[in-house]
Amino acid sequence: MFSSSSIVRAALLLGSLLPVVRSEVFEVTVGGLGDQVLLFQPESVTAVAGDQIRFIFRQKNHTATQSTFANPCERAPGGFNSGFWPVPQEQTEGFPVAELNITSNDPIWVYCAQGNHCSSGGMVFAVNPGERFDAFKAAATGAAPPASTPAPPASTSEPAPAPSAPAGTTHRVIVGGPAGLAFDPTSLQAAIGDEVVFEFRNKNHTITRSSFAEPCARLAGATGFDSGFIPVPDGTSPKEFKIRINDTAPIWAYCAQGAHCAQGMVFAINSPETPERNFQTFLNTAKATAAGGAAGQNPYGNGALSHSFTGIGAALLALVATSLLF
Ligand SMILES: *[C@@H]1O[C@H](CO)[C@@H](O)[C@H](O)[C@H]1NC(C)=O
Ligand SMILES: *[C@@H]1O[C@H](CO)[C@@H](O)[C@H](O)[C@H]1NC(C)=O
Ligand SMILES: *[C@@H]1O[C@H](CO)[C@@H](O)[C@H](O)[C@H]1NC(C)=O
Ligand SMILES: *[C@@H]1O[C@H](CO)[C@@H](O)[C@H](O)[C@H]1NC(C)=O
C-alpha cells in the first residue's frame, strides 16, 4: 500500500528526472449491455503525449479502430486496430483491454469496425477532438449535425399508416410467400431508430415477439408486440406490419399459427453471435417445442449455459494476459 504522500514524493522525484511530468490513464468502456452496447464511454477525452488510453471491451463484439475526421467509419491507412473482441452477454469481469499510448497532442479519431455499428449506430470515439466531436459523430451516420433529436416513434403495435419516419434504415422481411413457412431473412441486425417492415405475402401468419428461452410462446408485457393473424388470400396484395427498434436488446419472434413455430418459422433481430445464444440455437429450441406453444424439453438449460460462458471468459482473460494490442 502506498500512502498518498509517498505517491506525491515519487511523482516529484520522477518529475525532476523526466521532462514528462503528467501521465494520465483514461479508461474507455467499449460497448456493454442495453443502452451502452453501441457506445464508447466516455465518447472523447483530452490527452497529451505520455498519456494512455485503455479500451475496455464489454458486450458484444467490438473493435477500437483508428479512422479519420473525413471518413469516420473507415480505417485510417496505417491506423491502429484492436481487432474484434467478442464478449458474451453474461460476462461480468475480466473484460479484454487494449492499450493505446498517446505520443502527440493531435486529435485521434476512432470507431468500431463491427458491421454497421459506426455507420448506423454512430459508435465513435475521439482523443482531443476540440469542438469537432459532434460533427465527427454526425458524419459517421451521415446525419445532419445534431440540432434536435428525432421525436419518439409513434406507436407501431398494429398495422397502420406509416408514421413520418425519423432517420433510420428500413429493413424488409418477407413473411411466407416463396420461402414457405419462413421469414426471409430469418434474422437481421438493426440499429436504434430503424424500422422493420414485415410483408405478409400469403396464407395466415403472425409476427409475435417471444423470448430466447421460449421461442414459441408470446412474450408478455408492453414490449411483447404481436401483429395478430394476417390472412392474405392468394392473388391479393401483401399486407404490412411494422416495428420500430427502440433498443439494442435481441428481439426473438415467431409465427403463432398452428405448428408453424415448431416447424421452424422463427425470426430474430440483433441476436448475439455467441453459439450459446445465436439464431441457430433459438431455431433448434423452437423445433424442439411441441406444437401449440408450450415449450418442450429445452436442451440448452441454464446449467449448460453458465458453464460454457465461464469457459469463454477464462479464455479471454488468458488472451488479454498474453497480448497487448496495436
Ligand atoms: C505503453 O506505455 C507503457 C508505459 O510506458 C509501456 O509499458 C507499454 O509497453 C506501452 N504499450 C505499447 C503498446 O506501446
Ligand atoms: C418501440 O416503441 C414503440 C412506442 O412505444 C412501440 O409501439 C413498439 O412496439 C416498440 N418496439 C418494440 C420492438 O418493442
Ligand atoms: C387465421 O388463423 C386464425 C388462427 O388459426 C383463425 O382464427 C382465423 O380464422 C384465420 N383467418 C382466416 C381468414 O383464415
Ligand atoms: C466477431 O465479429 C467478427 C466480425 O464481424 C466475426 O468475424 C467474428 O466471428 C465475431 N466473433 C464472434 C465470437 O462472434
Side-chain angles (χ1 to χ4, degrees):
M1 281 291 193
F2 295 106
S3 71
S4 54
S5 66
S6 69
I7 291 174
V8 169
R9 254 182 276 123
L12 285 174
L13 181 61
L14 271 176
S16 62
L17 297 175
L18 300 169
V20 176
V21 180
R22 185 177 90 129
S23 177
E24 229 176 297
V25 175
F26 297 92
E27 298 209 327
V28 177
T29 305
V30 187
L33 297 169
D35 288 353
Q36 330 271 295
V37 72
L38 293 183
L39 275 183
F40 288 89
Q41 291 183 99
E43 287 194 299
S44 69
V45 299
T46 302
V48 299
D51 288 352
Q52 188 183 60
I53 313 284
R54 288 168 59 81
F55 293 102
I56 302 170
F57 290 90
R58 298 196 169 222
Q59 289 81 8
K60 344 191 317 185
N61 180 1
H62 301 292
T63 78
T65 304
Q66 187 172 9
S67 65
T68 57
F69 182 75
N71 292 306
C73 303
E74 273 174 40
R75 188 172 175 185
F80 63 78
N81 178 23
S82 68
F84 289 96
W85 288 97
V87 171
Q89 207 72 0
E90 278 73 3
Q91 188 165 339
T92 56
E93 57 186 359
F95 296 108
V97 174
E99 290 177 358
L100 174 65
N101 289 344
I102 305 298
T103 55
S104 84
N105 301 349
D106 296 336
I108 299 174
W109 310 102
V110 179
Y111 73 113
C112 171
Q114 179 66 273
N116 60 4
H117 288 189
C118 180
S119 59
S120 294
M123 188 168 180
V124 293
F125 169 78
V127 182
N128 300 329
E131 300 294 304
R132 294 199 289 164
F133 184 78
D134 286 351
F136 175 61
K137 183 161 174 156
T141 55
S148 60
T149 44
S155 169
T156 52
S157 59
E158 52 190 324
S164 58
T169 306
T170 298
H171 307 265
R172 295 194 79 83
V173 179
I174 295 171
V175 184
L181 292 186
F183 297 91
D184 180 18
T186 54
S187 68
L188 57 86
Q189 299 286 312
I192 294 171
D194 286 3
E195 184 177 66
V196 181
V197 179
F198 296 92
E199 188 180 309
F200 288 73
R201 288 281 182 90
N202 65 358
K203 303 247 167 31
N204 181 3
H205 300 293
T206 79
I207 178 75
T208 304
R209 189 166 185 176
S210 62
S211 60
F212 181 79
E214 292 188 86
C216 303
R218 182 176 175 187
L219 183 69
T223 55
F225 62 80
D226 179 20
S227 68
F229 291 99
I230 302 187
V232 181
D234 285 344
T236 64
S237 312
K239 296 201 174 78
E240 289 185 350
F241 177 79
K242 302 175 182 184
I243 59 169
R244 178 79 59 191
I245 304 304
N246 303 321
D247 57 48
T248 52
I251 292 175
W252 309 102
Y254 70 112
C255 171
Q257 180 66 275
H260 290 188
C261 182
Q263 289 172 272
M265 192 168 179
V266 292
F267 173 77
I269 300 172
N270 296 333
S271 56
E273 287 99 355
T274 52
E276 291 82 356
R277 284 184 85 80
N278 66 11
F279 180 78
Q280 187 61 45
T281 303
F282 177 65
L283 174 61
N284 293 344
T285 310
K287 287 181 170 169
T289 301
Q297 278 300 103
N298 178 357
Y300 307 98
N302 286 333
L305 271 182
S306 48
H307 178 74
S308 49
F309 277 113
T310 305
I312 291 172
L316 282 174
L317 273 172
L319 267 176
V320 170
T322 54
S323 68
L324 286 187
L325 311 171
F326 306 122

